[in-house]
Amino acid sequence: MSWLGTLDHKRIGMMYFFTTLFSLCVGGTFALLLRLELMFPGQQFFDANTYNRLFTLHGAVMVFWFIIPAIPGALGNFLLPIMIGAKDVAFPRLNLFSYYLLLLGMSINLYGLLAGQGADTGWTFYTPYSIRTGTAVVSMVMGVFVMGFSSILTGLNFITTVHTLRCPGMSFFRMPLFVWAIYSTAVLQVLATPVIGITMALLAIERYVGIGFFDPKLGGDPVLFQHFFWFYSHPAVYIMILPGMGIISEVIPAMSRKTIFGYRAIAFSSLGLALVSFLVWGHHMFVSGQSPLANFIFSLITMATAVPSAIKMFNWTATLYKGSINLATPMLYALGFLFTFGIGGITGIILGTLSADLHFHDTYFVVAHFHYVMMGGAAIAFFAGIFYWFPKMTGKMYHEGLGKLSFWFFIFGFNVTFMAQFVAGLNGMPRRYHDYDPMYATWNLISTVGSWFIATGILMIIVNVIYSIKFGAKAPSNPWGAKTLEWQTTSPPPLENFDKVPTVTAPPYEYGLRS
C-alpha cells in the first residue's frame, strides 16, 4: 500500500518501469503471433479478421503502452529530479495521478479486448473504416484519449520541475543532456498530445452520435482525420526517440571516459528536432491527394529533420574517438543504437523523397523503417538506460554476462527480422495483409526466425532484471565513474535524493578537463 499511494518520484518511476516492461511483453507476444501467421503463405493459425485485430493490438500496445511512456515515465521520473539536484518533481501528487491515468487507459483498452471484439483498424484508426467497423474501436480510442492526459500531465510536471527546482549552480548549460532531451520531449507532450486526444474524442462522438466529422456519407472528410492524426503522431515519433537520444548522450561519455563532444550542439539539436517535428506531418500523406506543392514542401522540410539527428550522430561518434572505451552492456546497446538508428534515419530520408515514397508507400519497406526507428532507436536506447542506471535505481549490479548475451541475441535477431522486410518491401510486398504471394515466402520465413532471437534477447533482459534485484551484488555509488549529479549520491538514493542540497560548479561531462 505504501507503493500504491507513494509520492516519491523514484517509486513512481519504478512502477512505470515494471508497467512498461509488462506492456513490452504483451505487445511483443502479439508480434510473435503475427510473425507465426506470416511464416508461410496461406492461412496458418488465424483468419483474416483475427489477424487484423492482432496487428491493431500490437501497434497500439507497443506505441501507447510501451514506447511513449517508457523512458519519460520510468527513467525520466526516477532520474530527472536527481540530475538537477531536486528533492522531487514539482507536483508529486500530479505525478502519481499521471501514472494511474496510464493504468486507466490501459484498462479501458483491455476491456475492449476482453469484453468486445478488439479493433481491426490498425493503430492509426483511419477513417472512414474506423467509423463503420463493428469492432470495439471506441474502447481503443478512449483508452488512448485517457493515456494522452497522462502524457500531458507528465510533460507539464517535467517542464515546471526543470524551470523551478534546479539546485544552486545548475544553469541550463550545466544540465545533463538527458535532462535536455526529457525537457524537449515534455514540450512535445504538452503541445502535440491534445490534438490526438481531441481527434480520438471526435471519432468516438461520430460513431455514437453520427455527426459528420470524418465520414463522407455524413459530409465529413476522412483526409482531415489523417491531418489531425499525423499532426500529433509525427511529433510523437520524437516523443519516443528524443528521450532515447538523451540516454545515449549519457552512456557514451561515461563509457568512453571523455567529455561529450559538442554539448551545446546536442542540446540545441534536441530543441530543433522538437520544433521541426511539428512541420512535417504531411509526408505521411503523399498519396492522399495533397497538392504537388504541399507534397514538395513537406518533402523539403522532411530533409531538414535529418540535420539535428546527424549533429547528434556526429557528436556521439566524435566523443568515441580516442576514448578509453568500456564495452559493458550499456555501451554495447548504445553502439547498437548508433547502427540501427542510422539505418532508420537514412531510410526515413528515402521515404521522405517523393519519387521513392510513391513506390514504397504501404509496403514492408515502411514497416522495416518504422521498426528501425522505434525498436532500433527508442527501445534499444531504453535497454541501454536500464543497464546503465540499474545500479543506481536498485542498489544492485546486474549480471554482466547475461546482459551481453541479451544484446547479441537482440541485435542479431533485430537485423535479420527487419532487413528481410526491407527486401520484401523493395520487391513490392504490401503491409497489413493476412496472406501474400509465394514470391515473398523466403523473406517472411527469415523474418519470423529473426523474431525468435529478438524475443529471446528481451526475455534475457527481463530475467536479468528480476534475478539481479533479488540476487545481484551490492552496487557502489558510482560503478561507471560518471560525472553527472545522480552518481554523486548513494545507490539507491535516499528519500530526498541527497543528504544536503548539492551545489554545481562545473559542466556535467568534465573528463580530462583541467581546472
Side-chain angles (χ1 to χ4, degrees), residues 92-170:
R93 287 180 176 81
L94 193 66
N95 198 18
L96 182 63
F97 183 57
S98 300
Y99 173 69
Y100 282 119
L101 280 177
L102 176 67
L103 291 187
L104 178 60
M106 292 167 64
S107 301
I108 294 170
N109 284 170
L110 282 173
Y111 171 79
L113 172 62
L114 300 174
Q117 299 175 313
D120 59 356
T121 61
W123 74 277
T124 54
F125 308 111
Y126 268 9
T127 58
Y129 183 71
S130 57
I131 297 164
R132 299 173 186 171
T133 177
T135 54
V137 170
V138 171
S139 66
M140 293 298 295
V141 301
M142 285 297 97
V144 172
F145 179 81
V146 172
M147 286 185 278
F149 276 98
S150 171
S151 188
I152 293 167
L153 296 177
T154 299
L156 280 171
N157 217 340
F158 287 163
I159 290 171
T160 309
T161 302
V162 169
H163 276 281
T164 62
L165 297 183
R166 300 192 311 276
C167 67
M170 179 65 75

